[in-house]
Amino acid sequence: MARNTQVAADHHAPPVTQTLAQFVAHHPSRGWSDAVEHEAHRTLMNWVGCAVGAAHHETATAALGAVQALQPASQATLLGRSERVDMASAALINGISSHTFDFDDTHLKTIIHPAGPVASAALALAEHAGGSGRALIDALVLGIDVSCRVGNAMYPDHYDRGWHITGSTGSLGAAAACARLLKLDAGKTAMALGIAASQPIGVREQFGTMTKPFHPGAAARAGLMAALMAQHGYSASAKALEAPRGMMQTISTKNDWSEITSQLGERFEISFNTYKPFACGIVIHPSIDACARLRAQGVTPDQVERIELKVHSLVLELTGNKEPADGLQAKFSVFHGCAAGLTFGHAAEEQFDDAIVNRPDMVALRRKVVATVDQAIDEASADVTAVLADGRRVHVFVEHAVGSLANPMSDAQLEAKFRGMADPVLGAARCSALIAACWHVAAAAEVRTLARQGALSAEAGRHTG
């Protein structure tokens, strides 16, 4: 994950708005390899599990209360819930739910969580419009390609300025996916991208609060609305992305246009998607993995006098909170991540429960973590040494954490993660049916079947068995 920043205003940028619009409108259905097709299904399944798992979190419930005050029409499903709302609100709420646990997918080159905005918008629209599973997967692949290619072009400068890149590029990906589902021509697709380009969403100051998961939800809603507006003739600049005062040059001094145009239609960014084994910020994962490996070697919290942690500077910049007050803050605390890894051997959503975060033994263990910056260590790595009370030093270096591109989660591990999130909401039988529906969605005549399987019936309520 190189972080070189190109600082040069470009008044002669290529017409990337039109290039992307042509690509989204005209690229053939399933115009990619079997590996890309499989990754699209993995991405969808991971997103559905995250959305269902957090469906009853206070974050989603609060957002739903605001939506219901608008008296939305019953158009689309809320995954993991019995309520139905209009499709724009479904995109918002499902996007919020899918990111609430911070357990969703990650495009490591940019730290974008691409499925949240794109899948949330695409499923809501496809369900309401009676779209097929094939159309949904096509839209997912193409929408993610748009958002991640734009992210590639601006990262890291855009992110370093404080933008939450998932939301700021997500509205573009959602607009592209919905334009594809609506079968807009290239001209109207360009207008959809142009409308979305005036709606970059999210700043990093909100990390650790409910507003962080609002970003992918709001991006999903913005992208969906942009496509619908374009369908009905709403206009925008034909060079809204690349113009000197367009989106990209306004919010980033680095714009590597070749990241958008190079191998467009040949290399698909969804191929580089990864899935989290731990329910927190991705930069904490190597440290959690290292501490879990210490535990597997027999190191226990009561033996520890000090944990010496060496990481890249970005880790402490993003997750340097040593005294998180609740679970949302703990998701951005590498100190809590280390304590969870050593205490439990993993860090799923339950390890970020408020009660666990404030447990005296966890507080004490966090305070034993001494973190220092070592720029020789990559963002994706961690160097951890447990100094024990008897004087022993046990060292672990993690170059590639579990869940990374070099050490990916298997299909079976993804299914187990899905069950861990969705079983408590839907029950085991419904969860199994939903997993099967995700794997086979491309063959479905309508995605409404998948949406129905992901919802609770009004009579059933949340599963408690």
Side-chain angles (χ1 to χ4, degrees):
M1 289 186 284
R3 297 179 64 79
N4 294 324
T5 301
Q6 172 185 327
V7 184
D10 190 345
H11 293 266
H12 303 285
V16 296
T17 306
Q18 298 298 320
T19 299
L20 289 172
Q22 291 284 343
F23 167 62
V24 170
H26 297 304
H27 192 79
S29 175
R30 207 202 180 290
W32 39 77
S33 68
D34 289 345
V36 170
E37 180 77 359
H38 185 63
E39 209 59 56
H41 286 74
R42 280 163 57 88
T43 294
L44 179 70
M45 187 180 72
N46 187 76
W47 170 77
V48 170
C50 290
V52 170
H56 294 267
H57 190 275
E58 60 182 337
T59 301
T61 299
L64 176 59
V67 163
Q68 288 176 322
L70 303 174
Q71 298 183 344
S74 177
Q75 293 180 316
T77 295
L78 298 180
L79 295 172
R81 301 191 69 111
S82 59
E83 300 92 341
R84 288 175 58 81
V85 293
D86 65 277
M87 55 181 166
S89 295
L92 172 70
I93 302 298
N94 286 332
I96 288 173
S97 296
S98 71
H99 195 56
T100 293
F101 284 170
D102 243 301
F103 220 173
D104 45 348
D105 57 339
T106 307
H107 178 263
L108 290 177
K109 185 174 180 178
T110 56
I111 326 181
I112 291 172
H113 307 292
V118 177
S120 301
L123 180 64
L125 177 59
E127 180 190 1
H128 178 61
S132 69
R134 177 72 265 157
L136 177 67
I137 291 295
D138 289 350
L140 184 66
V141 172
L142 297 173
I144 285 177
D145 219 53
V146 168
S147 60
C148 290
R149 282 177 175 272
V150 172
N152 289 345
M154 298 191 297
Y155 188 85
D157 177 77
H158 171 67
Y159 189 80
D160 289 345
R161 285 167 175 261
W163 286 93
H164 185 191
I165 195 168
T166 295
S168 57
T169 66
S171 57
L172 300 172
C178 291
R180 177 71 178 212
L181 285 167
L182 292 169
K183 300 180 181 178
L184 302 187
D185 62 21
K188 287 191 173 180
T189 299
M191 295 301 98
L193 293 175
I195 298 164
S198 278
Q199 301 177 84
I201 292 164
V203 292
R204 285 166 49 197
E205 171 62 24
Q206 302 288 2
F207 286 16
T209 75
M210 286 184 181
T211 299
K212 182 175 187 278
F214 170 77
H215 298 159
R221 180 178 60 183
L224 171 56
M225 288 301 300
L228 291 172
M229 292 169 75
Q231 181 189 36
H232 288 277
Y234 206 91
S235 68
S237 168
K239 50 181 182 178
L241 292 179
E242 71 272 12
R245 292 183 177 87
M247 173 186 166
M248 295 178 65
Q249 295 202 63
T250 298
I251 62 179
S252 179
T253 55
K254 181 212 169 198
N255 283 286
D256 183 351
W257 308 113
S258 67
E259 289 283 4
I260 295 177
T261 58
S262 177
Q263 296 183 295
L264 184 64
E266 300 172 15
R267 183 195 76 235
F268 292 90
E269 293 302 311
I270 202 170
S271 301
F272 310 106
N273 215 7
T274 66
Y275 311 95
K276 293 181 177 182
F278 310 128
C280 58
I282 193 75
V283 295
I284 306 177
H285 288 211
S287 301
I288 296 173
D289 195 352
C291 288
R293 295 185 196 187
L294 288 173
R295 185 177 187 274
Q297 292 179 28
V299 176
T300 57
D302 60 291
Q303 298 174 308
V304 171
E305 182 176 285
R306 184 172 70 256
I307 297 173
E308 297 175 352
L309 172 67
K310 296 179 182 179
V311 290
H312 188 277
S313 60
L314 184 66
V315 178
L316 294 185
E317 177 191 340
L318 293 176
T319 64
N321 184 357
K322 198 162 190 172
E323 302 290 345
D326 55 32
L328 285 173
Q329 292 183 16
K331 289 176 182 291
F332 294 90
S333 170
V334 70
F335 302 94
H336 181 77
C338 287
L342 188 61
T343 301
F344 301 102
H346 60 277
E349 177 58 25
E350 55 265 32
Q351 276 70 55
F352 294 91
D353 183 84
D354 290 354
I356 295 292
V357 171
N358 290 295
R359 219 169 67 180
D361 63 315
M362 296 296 288
V363 174
L365 188 54
R366 283 199 300 265
R367 291 173 178 171
K368 292 181 180 181
V369 178
V370 180
T372 57
V373 169
D374 185 340
Q375 291 299 142
I377 296 176
D378 188 78
E379 298 165 29
S381 304
D383 187 298
V384 180
T385 300
V387 181
L388 307 186
D390 62 8
R392 287 185 296 139
R393 297 173 63 88
V394 185
H395 174 256
V396 171
F397 178 76
V398 171
E399 183 177 8
H400 301 293
V402 62
S404 65
L405 283 173
N407 187 14
M409 293 182 72
S410 67
D411 290 353
Q413 287 173 319
L414 273 179
E415 287 194 14
K417 173 185 170 180
F418 188 110
R419 292 182 188 281
M421 292 185 289
D423 271 9
V425 179
L426 300 177
R430 292 282 303 281
C431 183
S432 294
L434 185 56
I435 289 173
C438 289
W439 282 131
H440 301 291
V441 67
E446 289 187 342
V447 298
R448 288 171 178 163
T449 302
L450 184 151
R452 284 196 297 267
Q453 288 173 324
L456 285 177
S457 67
E459 296 79 19
R462 187 179 180 186
H463 180 77
T464 55

